[in-house]
Amino acid sequence: MRKLFFVLFLCFCSPAKAQHTFEKVIDTLGCVSALCIQETYDGGYIFGGTSSYNGNDAMVVKLDSSGTIEWAKTYFGAGAEGVMYLEQTPDSGYILNVQDATNAKTCLYRLNNIGDTLWTKSYSAGVGSTYALLPNSMASVYNSVYALTGYYSNGGLPSTFFMAVLSNGTILSSKVYNTGMLGNGSHAIDNTFDGGFIMTGTISAISSGSNIYLIRTNTYGDTLWTKQYNNAPSEAGFAVTQSYDSGFAIAAIVNNGQSDILLIKTDSIGDALWTKTYNFYSDQSPYTIQQTSDGGYIIVGSVFDVSLGAREVYLIKTNPTGDTLWTRIYGGVPWTSQGYFVRQTKDGGYIISGITGNFGTGTYIVKTDSMGLVNSVTGIAEINNTFEFSIYPIPSTGIINIHIKGVQKSNVTLEILNVLNQCVYAGEINATESLVINLENVQSGQYVARLSTEKGVVSRKFLIEKKR
């Protein structure tokens, strides 16, 4: 309870701050989704997701307090498919959980305060596939131990994996849990007050279908206890957080003929105290839960509104016993929108990240006030940049055409790197949007064209095949 009193004391004693609100669609450098967003020390925001360029690169975008882009960077690799989770480090840098889909591994990327890469590490729970599937795939203890979770499969039934990693990227421990007759897998992880971790996901059994489960561990992933919850024939835990009373709150999806959102509140050993079901709309999905400063909960996800024929971002605010205080819809029609992550901000409002096609496909960022309202007309969004960077033909025999649009041409450089990361061409870009580069002197193989601007770095892979 001391943490609750401390949080409430801060809320009552801190001076009132103006609640900035905004709603933006960001498509800079091909940004198409944001699975995670966090408030930064300077009052701005940082989000991580996926860029559609270069076969789905990982991407990070830094915003100021009004939602204006400060910088945006992509991170290419053999399989860097997108940022699942990120958080700021004590030195004002960032650490990212990135999914390497090509090599079926989970990764950590460590960045400095302007997004430059300090180091990257790839991890596998064994010889099989190691996947993080949902936004809450990483949690940290004291910014010194980072825990990763998700699905592990070695050709058989899926299992839950856990890895504890030190702040320099060194593995502290690695575990695989498999307690389900038909397999299990973790969707989310959070830290606990005593330095351990709590995970939730789904477990499948022949007799009871799929159930929600919790795994409570110490810092090293050693199991302290596990619990299962069977409220319907089909259900899965999507997000979990420890509450101020040392219990836990699970946001889950439950299917009783339609998909509803389920909130389970437990005590400190995982026994259910109460459950609440939210079914205002059809086909509801939760992705993130957080306990708010008043002891209630905020849940973000998506709903399908049959009357509108569209999927929309859905925000639920509850009191401490799970009763609904208000709900909000963002995104409009006619295309789909989805909310992946929410956090309460220092000014008492909420910051939400997701994806939308409503205003042109891109990342959807919504900053609300404490009542979930945006002080602008919903649906008026900002497309921050129309950017093009293309190379053709692919494959090429050595003469490549490069088309660039949507960036200032001053202080823009182009580098072409081979598979050994050696630069085979470098030059500045002038005012023209298209240029031709002769690479007939290089060997056949895969190359990366890297464009560096004041806003960040973006890359494209291409292939050179010489005629024999």
Side-chain angles (χ1 to χ4, degrees):
M1 292 299 290
R2 286 181 296 176
K3 182 175 180 180
L4 173 59
F5 292 147
F6 179 68
V7 171
L8 294 179
F9 176 81
L10 287 178
C11 293
F12 287 123
C13 296
S14 298
K17 296 181 179 179
Q19 293 185 328
H20 297 292
T21 68
F22 55 82
E23 180 185 21
K24 295 192 176 183
V25 176
I26 298 173
D27 70 348
T28 295
L29 301 182
C31 188
V32 293
S33 70
L35 291 181
C36 181
I37 190 166
Q38 303 282 3
E39 191 171 17
T40 51
Y41 301 147
D42 62 3
Y45 306 96
I46 191 85
F47 72 78
T50 303
S51 164
S52 61
Y53 294 152
N54 198 32
N56 293 340
D57 283 339
M59 183 171 191
V60 174
V61 179
K62 175 68 172 67
L63 308 176
D64 66 14
S65 60
S66 64
T68 301
I69 292 176
E70 294 184 344
W71 51 261
K73 296 192 177 182
T74 61
Y75 306 90
F76 66 91
E81 294 294 319
V83 178
M84 308 301 294
Y85 184 91
L86 82 170
E87 61 182 51
Q88 196 166 24
T89 52
D91 62 357
S92 295
Y94 305 96
I95 191 162
L96 325 176
N97 181 206
V98 175
Q99 182 61 51
D100 179 350
T102 300
N103 298 301
K105 293 183 178 182
T106 190
C107 309
L108 287 181
Y109 282 41
R110 181 71 165 85
L111 312 180
N112 65 13
N113 65 322
I114 58 172
D116 296 329
T117 304
L118 300 178
W119 53 257
T120 66
K121 302 277 187 178
S122 297
Y123 308 98
S124 178
V127 296
S129 301
T130 305
Y131 283 105
L133 296 181
L134 288 176
N136 301 280
S137 57
M138 184 177 83
S140 66
V141 174
Y142 315 126
N143 298 114
S144 59
V145 176
Y146 295 88
L148 309 175
T149 195
Y151 278 63
Y152 173 76
S153 176
N154 188 22
L157 298 175
S159 304
T160 291
F161 79 83
F162 168 94
M163 292 183 191
V165 182
L166 297 177
S167 58
N168 63 0
T170 302
I171 292 180
L172 184 65
S173 65
S174 179
K175 305 281 184 180
V176 173
Y177 318 95
N178 189 359
T179 56
M181 294 177 63
L182 299 179
N184 65 335
S186 174
H187 293 147
I189 190 168
D190 195 21
N191 56 21
T192 54
F193 302 153
D194 61 356
F197 297 97
I198 188 79
M199 289 171 279
T200 192
T202 181
I203 188 167
S204 300
I206 295 174
S207 59
S208 57
S210 61
N211 296 335
I212 301 161
Y213 79 90
L214 282 184
I215 301 177
R216 173 78 172 84
T217 77
N218 62 14
T219 305
Y220 303 94
D222 299 321
T223 303
L224 302 180
W225 50 257
T226 64
K227 296 286 181 176
Q228 289 191 48
Y229 310 92
N230 183 8
N231 298 274
S234 176
E235 54 192 327
F238 271 30
V240 63
T241 187
Q242 187 165 35
S243 49
Y244 301 144
D245 62 1
S246 295
F248 302 96
I250 309 164
I253 186 170
V254 60
N255 196 315
N256 285 302
Q258 71 170 30
S259 296
D260 296 328
I261 294 174
L262 179 69
L263 175 58
I264 303 175
K265 177 65 177 68
T266 80
D267 60 17
S268 61
I269 58 172
D271 293 329
L273 299 176
W274 50 260
T275 63
K276 299 284 183 177
T277 302
Y278 310 99
N279 54 9
F280 304 107
Y281 298 86
S282 65
D283 193 17
Q284 303 174 114
S285 300
Y287 285 100
T288 302
I289 185 172
Q290 183 191 26
Q291 190 167 28
T292 50
S293 58
D294 61 0
Y297 299 93
I298 195 80
I299 302 170
V300 76
S302 68
V303 296
F304 185 80
D305 192 329
V306 176
S307 64
L308 298 176
R311 181 166 289 279
E312 301 166 300
V313 177
Y314 188 37
L315 189 67
I316 305 173
K317 177 68 177 74
T318 80
N319 66 11
T321 57
D323 298 319
T324 304
L325 297 179
W326 47 258
T327 65
R328 301 284 183 255
I329 294 288
Y330 313 94
V333 294
W335 295 286
T336 188
S337 299
Q338 190 147 299
Y340 291 124
F341 204 84
V342 64
R343 281 292 180 262
Q344 188 173 35
T345 52
K346 296 172 186 176
D347 63 4
Y350 303 97
I351 187 73
I352 303 164
S353 67
I355 186 172
T356 186
N358 295 355
F359 317 108
T361 301
T363 287
Y364 193 30
I365 306 296
V366 182
K367 170 63 175 67
T368 80
D369 63 15
S370 59
M371 295 299 294
L373 302 175
V374 180
N375 297 325
S376 64
V377 179
T378 300
I380 302 301
E382 176 180 325
I383 302 297
N384 292 77
N385 186 27
T386 300
F387 177 80
E388 296 178 16
F389 177 27
S390 57
I391 299 175
Y392 59 94
I394 298 179
S396 165
T397 58
I399 303 296
I400 62 171
N401 297 273
I402 293 183
H403 178 76
I404 301 167
K405 185 178 180 181
V407 296
Q408 297 294 323
K409 299 303 189 299
S410 59
N411 300 320
V412 176
T413 60
L414 176 70
E415 297 175 293
I416 296 178
L417 311 174
N418 62 20
V419 293
L420 300 177
N421 207 35
Q422 297 168 333
C423 183
V424 298
Y425 173 90
E428 294 188 356
I429 304 301
N430 56 28
T432 183
E433 290 186 348
S434 299
L435 63 155
V436 178
I437 297 177
N438 188 333
L439 296 175
E440 291 181 324
N441 61 324
V442 304
Q443 296 179 350
S444 296
Q446 181 173 277
Y447 291 83
V448 172
R450 184 166 66 191
L451 190 72
S452 300
T453 75
E454 292 180 349
K455 292 294 186 180
V457 178
V458 66
S459 61
R460 296 284 181 275
K461 293 177 183 177
F462 65 95
L463 189 65
I464 293 179
E465 289 184 353
K466 297 291 185 67
K467 295 180 179 179
R468 296 182 179 180

